Amino acid sequence: MKKVLVSGAGGFIGGHLVRRLKSEGYWVRGVDIKRHEFAVTAADEFIVGDLRETDVVRGIVEGISEVYQLAADMGGAGYIFSGEHDAAVMHNSATINLNMLEWGRQAGVRKFFYSSSACMYPEYNQLDPGNPNCSEESAYPAAPDSEYGWEKLFSERLYMAYMRNHGVQVRIARFHNIFGPEGTWCGGREKAPAATCRKVAEADDGGLIELWGDGKQTRSFLYIDECVDGVRRLMESDFTGPVNIGSDEMVTINQLAQMIAKVAGKRITIQHIPGPLGVRGRNSDNRLIREKLQWAPSRPLAEGLEKQYRWVEAQVKNAVAGLAAQ
Ligand code: NAD
């Protein structure tokens, strides 16, 4: 049985990926600095360890043939764009990738999946909310708008360099806003879909929710099941990437909020407040993935939002019940 390692297995995408790999018959070792907050891990073995530590990484890559590297110091706009975490994000995530590659290849790992991000695309191509350019080859001249994006770009190059110089196989995906159940929904690291679901769940019918900026910035959001599908398809293909894994159903943040309100069956009023924003427009360009994998995500955003909302709503209710019981 093929033994694979999922690093970041205690996180949102990692937790779902472990479940998928188990259902496909793999033996899975999960590693994360913390246990999964919202689900019992499906991994055969789960190790709590800090991937910045050389000794931890040397121990966990033993006997592994493929690594899915998802661990990163990351969060939504409130975490990435405040500027307060820049040094930590760059240091922590780069150290994790340096360690995983070096000790992994020395231990005989043959193939690495690396989760990059659309945040590495240059800001100058994402100023027009109606017409952003995120085609893979538009990455250079590089000008990401966050240190998180710069680290992703550096690590993409690191994986490619190890492929060229050490003969390991590499697959790189650039994720575009992945959402769904069992991800961070409060506390400061949550991203727009989960945060907006929480605000709507907490609001009364006819109530007010706050959104950062004017809400006219555009994004696309990919439901977790299609993300995991894309990761597995890329890993099994002979294409290295980098390739976008994202939805090309672009919406404004105002539209996202109204779609969530519709799922909730509530009327809401949006109050726009200042806050960290990121680029003005972003959408996944799916031409390359279609060409190379003969596949691209296709499910409608509304379908995923229904599942995301029901899950966040249940978390909000549990939290309220917990507070009431204290
Ligand atoms: P997540 O924060 O839920 O998962 C990342 C995991 O890495 C966390 O569980 C965290 O504890 C772990 N981690 C951080 N530092 C660690 C350390 N020093 N040692 C061990 N584990 C450590 O995030 P996610 O949404 O599941 O994202 C997974 C990957 O995909 C990340 O690399 C992220 O940058 C990338 N990505 C995600 C999105 C998205 O929309 N979710 C978009 C683009 C890229």
Side-chain angles (χ1 to χ4, degrees), residues 241-262:
V243 65
N244 292 326
I245 294 188
S247 162
D248 57 6
E249 182 182 344
M250 190 169 81
V251 293
T252 66
I253 298 299
N254 286 332
Q255 285 169 334
L256 177 77
Q258 292 300 349
M259 288 173 85
I260 293 170
K262 193 172 171 202

Side-chain angles (χ1 to χ4, degrees), residues 22-241:
K22 279 306 301 168
S23 76
E24 291 184 29
Y26 288 93
W27 186 93
V28 183
R29 177 179 294 153
V31 61
D32 203 293
I33 203 164
K34 62 164 178 64
R35 293 200 170 275
H36 203 296
E37 287 166 63
F38 310 112
V40 177
T41 183
D44 296 279
E45 188 176 272
F46 190 95
I47 294 169
V48 176
D50 186 340
L51 296 167
R52 291 169 300 183
E53 303 290 335
T54 303
D55 289 345
V56 170
V57 177
R58 289 176 80 161
I60 55 148
V61 288
E62 276 311 315
I64 294 295
S65 57
E66 294 180 356
V67 167
Y68 292 82
Q69 203 314 78
L70 298 158
D73 189 353
M74 91 97 132
Y79 188 75
I80 296 298
F81 297 110
S82 72
E84 288 164 30
H85 311 286
D86 287 352
V89 163
M90 296 187 93
H91 173 87
N92 294 339
S93 297
T95 306
I96 292 170
N97 287 309
L98 288 160
N99 278 340
M100 291 298 291
L101 269 166
E102 181 54 25
W103 301 111
R105 69 118 190 147
Q106 285 201 30
V109 173
R110 289 195 308 273
K111 205 176 197 180
F112 291 85
F113 170 83
Y114 175 56
S115 51
S116 182
S117 165
C119 288
M120 46 61 62
Y121 283 116
E123 185 177 18
Y124 58 76
N125 279 332
Q126 301 172 86
L127 299 174
D128 176 0
N131 193 24
N133 174 12
C134 292
S135 62
E136 285 81 352
E137 81 281 357
S138 72
Y140 297 96
D145 68 338
S146 66
E147 303 304 351
Y148 170 76
W150 277 105
E151 189 282 327
K152 288 292 185 192
L153 202 54
F154 163 77
S155 287
E156 282 189 6
R157 301 189 68 94
L158 185 70
Y159 280 83
M160 303 290 272
Y162 266 71
M163 183 175 76
R164 289 194 305 275
N165 294 167
H166 293 298
V168 294
Q169 293 182 59
V170 164
R171 302 287 180 269
I172 301 173
R174 293 173 178 161
F175 292 154
H176 289 244
N177 287 312
I178 315 302
F179 76 102
E182 298 176 5
T184 306
W185 61 278
C186 65
R189 286 187 188 239
E190 63 278 20
K191 305 181 93 186
T196 311
C197 284
R198 187 195 68 232
K199 291 173 190 175
V200 171
E202 287 171 348
D204 296 325
D205 187 20
L208 198 71
I209 70 158
E210 290 182 342
L211 290 185
W212 289 338
D214 62 9
K216 292 178 186 159
Q217 63 273 35
T218 52
R219 293 290 185 279
S220 69
F221 302 94
L222 180 66
Y223 191 67
I224 182 67
D225 290 356
E226 284 200 298
C227 168
V228 171
D229 213 15
V231 170
R232 288 291 301 123
R233 284 170 188 268
L234 179 61
M235 201 62 168
E236 295 309 310
S237 79
D238 56 8
F239 183 53
T240 296

